[in-house]
Amino acid sequence: MKTMEEYVRTIPDFPEPGIMFRDITSVLMDPEGLKLAVDSMIDALKDVDFDVVAGIESRGFMFGMPIVYALGKSFVPVRKKGKLPCETITESYALEYGTAEIEIHTDAVKPGQKVVMIDDLLATGGTMEAAIRLVERLGGTVEKAVFLIELKGLEGRKKLKCPVDVVVSYEGI
């Protein structure tokens, strides 16, 4: 049986020299790799009491949907600004050059609901930090954030004020 590290493809010098890009398409293309990824993320939730999974566009959707299906929970999309059709609230977060915005429907999380956040990658933590603020503004409580991959060198975990679990960590950036 292969480990998750064996399924994740590393591409040196992409998108620029010195970057070791951790590519999850190799995980998605392999049924055993995808099963291992989803099962590992579900395992990270075995002792967590929660009502809702919130996934961040778009790879958080890929991993969040099979998790909610397996566990009988509901799913809430957190999307880029302008992509949701009903009333939303918005949060900004910093990018390397500039800012971006994400949003959530105002009726997506009810006050008092316990939420698990899902995404593929924990890098700087800015996107997840903004997503957590959205959930909290709606009255939800974030019980845990689960990621497939963490780039430890970027220290994104430090921005998150909730328990964090990852399937595989890489020391660099």
Side-chain angles (χ1 to χ4, degrees), residues 81-167:
K81 186 171 175 60
K83 301 292 184 181
L84 291 171
C86 295
E87 184 180 348
T88 61
I89 58 171
T90 304
E91 280 287 336
S92 297
Y93 61 99
L95 298 171
E96 187 175 353
Y97 300 103
T99 60
E101 294 178 304
I102 56 173
E103 59 188 12
I104 192 170
H105 280 140
T106 56
D107 62 354
V109 175
K110 309 294 184 273
Q113 282 190 310
K114 298 174 184 176
V115 181
V116 166
M117 310 298 292
I118 300 287
D119 206 358
D120 69 320
L121 179 68
L122 175 56
T124 65
T127 308
M128 183 60 74
E129 181 183 37
I132 289 170
R133 284 194 308 265
L134 287 170
V135 168
E136 291 173 342
R137 284 175 55 195
L138 294 177
T141 303
V142 175
E143 299 298 318
K144 188 178 234 186
V146 179
F147 302 87
L148 182 63
I149 296 172
E150 176 182 21
L151 304 178
K152 288 176 130 180
L154 295 174
E155 300 183 334
R157 187 183 287 251
K158 290 182 178 179
K159 287 186 179 174
L160 307 182
K161 306 295 188 236
C162 66
V164 173
D165 209 333
V166 299
V167 176

Side-chain angles (χ1 to χ4, degrees), residues 57-79:
E57 185 174 356
S58 66
R59 292 175 300 265
F61 298 179
M62 292 180 199
F63 294 106
M65 291 306 297
I67 290 170
V68 299
Y69 179 80
L71 299 178
K73 303 292 182 176
S74 61
F75 182 81
V76 170
V78 178
R79 299 209 60 193

